[in-house]
Amino acid sequence: MKLDRTAYLTLALSLGVPVALALLNQTTEVGSALHIPTYVVALAGKYLCYAMLALAVDLVWGFAGILSLGHAAFFALGGYAMGMYLMRQIGTRGVYGNAELPDFMVFLGWHELPWYWQGSQWFPFAVAMALIVPGVLAMGFGWLAFRSRVTGVYLSIITQALTYALLLAFFRNDMGFGGNNGMTDFKDILGLNVQADSTRSALMVISALCLCVQYLVARFVVQSRFGKVLIAVRNTESRTRFLGYRPEAYKLVVWTLSAVMAGIGGALYVPQVGIINPSEFAPANSIEAVIWVAVGGRGTLSGAILGAVAVNFGKTWFTGMLPDYWLYALGALFIFVTLFLPKGIMGLFAKRAAKPVAVLEVAE
Amino acid sequence: MRRLLAFLMIAAVSLASGPSKADPVDDAVTALSSGSFDSVHEGVGQLVASGSPRAAAIIGSLQNGKLYFRPDHTLFIKQDDGTYVGALTGTPAEAGAVKPVKVNNAIRGAMDAALGALRLFSPDAATRMTAAEAVFHAADPAALPALTKALEKEADPAVKVRMQQARAAVVLASPDGAEADRVAAVGVLRARGDIDARGFLASLSDQPPAVAAAITSALTAIDRLAQIWSVGQSIYYGLSLGSVLLLAAAGLAITFGVMGVINMAHGEMVMIGAYTTFVVQQFMRAHTPGLYGASLLFAVPLAFMVSGSIGIVIERTLIRWLYGRPLETLLATWGLSLVLQQAVRTIFGANNQDVDTPPWMSGATALGGLTLTWNRMYIILFSAVVLAGLMAALRYTSLGLRMRAVTQNRRMAAAMGIRTPWIDALTFGLGSGIAGMAGVALSQIDNVSPNLGQSYIIDSFMVVVFGGVGNLWGTTLGALTLGIVNKFLEPVAGAVVAKIVVLVLLILFIQRRPRGMFPLKGRAVES
Amino acid sequence: MTETQTLPGDTLLYLGGVTVSFDGFRALNALSLVLEKGEMRAVIGPNGAGKTTMMDVITGKTRPDTGKVMFGVNTDLTQLDEPAIAALGIGRKFQKPTVFEPHTVWDNILLALAGDRKPRFSLWAKETAEERTRIESVLETVRMKDQRHRLGGDLSHGQKQWLEIGMLLAQEPQLLLVDEPVAGMTDAETEQTAELLREINKTRSVVVVEHDMAFVRALDVKVTVLHEGSVLSEGSIDNVSADPRVVEVYLGR
């Protein structure tokens, strides 16, 4: 795999900044000029998880031309898998003090764990589920969709319907995932207090490492011959078919990989924000993730990370300073980027002569 | 006691119509003025059965303790001013030494039934109808003679049917009577076939075998009928939901189906239509309260114009730069939808706004076993009218012709001198305007809030894609199918699960038939 | 079916009674056509005669309502989808030149090279020396050695046509289906293309759909004239040009 300057810079920033923040948070005293408050660490951790989601979206949208309006569903499923583990760690410290059942189940009058909660108390099992559940769902969905050649906006609309259906399903108490309120009030992860500064710093650095690994994996995939086929599929799907490729197989592989990447992001997100609820499935979340990618630069991978961090930084700032105007700003950003900045921020930096990872153009 | 009473009343009636040619009114007066409870009791029944026009007045005064008698078997009614009138004549009369007619509980009961029965003779058909229904529910055998008499005189066929049903109930409730009559009565109630008839039949016990068999078979028949009605009711609810979906999707069928523009702000066009209704109502309440009842009639064209103009502005400023880039259009219009929602939130606040339903749209009517609510009925009609108007506009107007020309072959249309950009804007405006009209309808059944449109956008796209893009009939059938399927699943699975099931079914359907139920075929599709 | 058994052993492609309808419109109407191994065939006909639909049927894009489509003696093409048919050795050039615009000329050829098409393979595939030699030789054939680093999207119309033919060659098919290869080309380019196709025809069978009569004449091969979804006339270019029916529906317009 060839790494260019952009790649090295992306890796250095994605890992360096979080490590620096963590060190400053851990080694300096509160009040010191260099001290990084814990809320900044938590925020940075959140951004890194969003960056993983953005990377996942870019992999399918930027390279295979699949505009997913439901990727937050995979993110949320990963999050729920981790949330289940965290709920089980609460044990007798819950409001009802039930060692076995999470509070919301006691509240609903349930007497035993549903079968799909079995094993969730083991961390490796939870991690495995955070990968497997989004992956299997994506594989099933993709197998059906790609095989029947659902493409373009039709695919986008059914991905949105998928996350919408999940949203409605997870709102139901009967689902056994805490209904409307979801899961929160987590205590421990691997025996460490999730609220502790050190745990937060560690989780953030782990998120940064995961992001870098995902970036490298994604880069490997798009630079391989597999990636060339993907770009060819995005450009003219029918042509690849007449060359003897099966675009559905390629899409299915990258789609499933992307869902797993999003799931990892979600699994790391939940312990850092301390809550997971059905609103994570809202179609708006998935579309927001798409705009992160568009802002950063579709089909560049580095741009997805940049866009996720930049837009979410903007969101934090706006909702703090001018809460009523955030939606105006976000809406305007959608319009501005699509009309005036089709190649995103990365497009501003890209030199004409430089060979981009993928040339941006419309797939249709 | 009841049995005795019934016996007495039947006896009275048979007496009255029997060989004794004595005037039944005289017999009743004699009984009432006899001074014994039993006779008075009997007299009340005789009076009702006599069909005397004064019967109601006499029994009413007896109830109030104003009925007096003289030993010579003459009855008087005491007026509030202390004077007397003749009970049978109603004219002032010299009473002399009179005693009040005394009553006991048994007689009070008989009087209530008698008054009810008397209303069976009211000159007003509606009153007779209510009375017959009351007799049906009471199923008091005591009412039989009066009912029989009333049936003989009844001219109104609807009231007559109701009375026959009441009679059947009475016949079945009374302990005796010929088996053939009872079986016939079961038949009458089986023909009535509603929940009351079923309840009454199910409550009967200790019937002779032939009657019991008739009841069992009647219950089965009624249950089957009820099932059919409930299917009908589900279809009605489904049609009503379907027409809501159709209204929301009809505009999208134009912008997405005909123009190929993915307008994620389509729901906001609907929302703006709903807020237009709100503003129109506020304005009319303040300035033209006399016309307030017709506010929706003003709101419909206004919503069309407001949403339509906004649509034209959107097309000219945003969409036209993005033709041929569907995914980008999707993102930009999504952004636009956020801005529009937030703008409405800034202007009107985030809370739900009250939009009134005019009186002529409230209420419900029954059709057989169906309950048809007026607002839903009007929405079904409205969506049919909108659809018909839209199809007519596309087919018969010159604008429609040019629209079709541009969508079929843009370059050729341009070469023929059609100003294609202007047609694009108008087409988009038309689709948006229809969304606005949908908003007026939705304001009647949904909360008018900035999020109104969002809840319809996914459904609308599903409808258009399900029906087959570019095909209004497909959209119609798609909307109605989805509505009906949803409403049939709801009782089985609950509203949320029904919705999820429908979504999943749609996802699977689109994967089987990516171009919907009625796909366009041929080479034109490929380009 | 008995038809296939009676076919001579050197038949490469057989279409028998193929009918395709779109919404009542018959794009192909009981079309029959036999192509021998090593043959080059020119297919002409007015717009809407069914030329492109015929290509669609052969390559598996469109399934016929009725009729047989056999490749070789015993492969029923109607049962296969596009990738499977491509893997059998049928390559197709589209009417509108279709190359991968984001990829370089080199990568376009690389992706077209005959070989394993599975994701599992392509994920780990490294460019081998053997592959490089094959790409060089294809570039040589289509005279695009100097263009190897240019992006597909930056090529001129004629260059795209050649690149697409080059991709077809890289597939190493037994049969090439070429749809309007000289549309939009200069006379000199047309000349070169005819030469190129004749060169290709030395080792492979070719079906060329073309409107340009000069080009068809230059190819000097058997011509099939389609009209309203069926074969109107078949024979040498001179024969069909003289056929009054052909003159009426096509040439004489």
Side-chain angles (χ1 to χ4, degrees), chain C residues 100-119:
Chain C
F100 302 127
E101 304 198 339
H103 284 313
T104 59
V105 168
W106 181 273
D107 281 350
N108 266 286
I109 306 283
L110 173 72
L111 289 180
L113 278 187
D116 197 334
R117 302 295 206 225
K118 290 196 185 64

Side-chain angles (χ1 to χ4, degrees), chain C residues 87-135:
Chain C
L88 277 177
I90 298 182
R92 175 173 186 182
K93 199 202 85 59
F94 288 84
Q95 189 170 343
K96 179 173 165 252
T98 315
V99 300
F100 302 127
E101 304 198 339
H103 284 313
T104 59
V105 168
W106 181 273
D107 281 350
N108 266 286
I109 306 283
L110 173 72
L111 289 180
L113 278 187
D116 197 334
R117 302 295 206 225
K118 290 196 185 64
R120 206 177 339 160
F121 169 80
S122 65
L123 204 48
W124 311 102
K126 291 267 180 300
E127 213 172 277
T128 61
E130 191 255 332
E131 284 175 332
R132 265 181 233 124
T133 326
R134 282 162 66 194
I135 297 172

Side-chain angles (χ1 to χ4, degrees), chain B residues 133 136 162 189-199 222 225:
Chain B
E133 192 60 14
F136 171 80
R162 202 36 58 98
L189 292 184
R190 173 180 176 157
R192 173 170 168 145
D194 67 354
I195 188 101
D196 293 328
R198 191 198 185 283
I222 291 175
L225 193 68

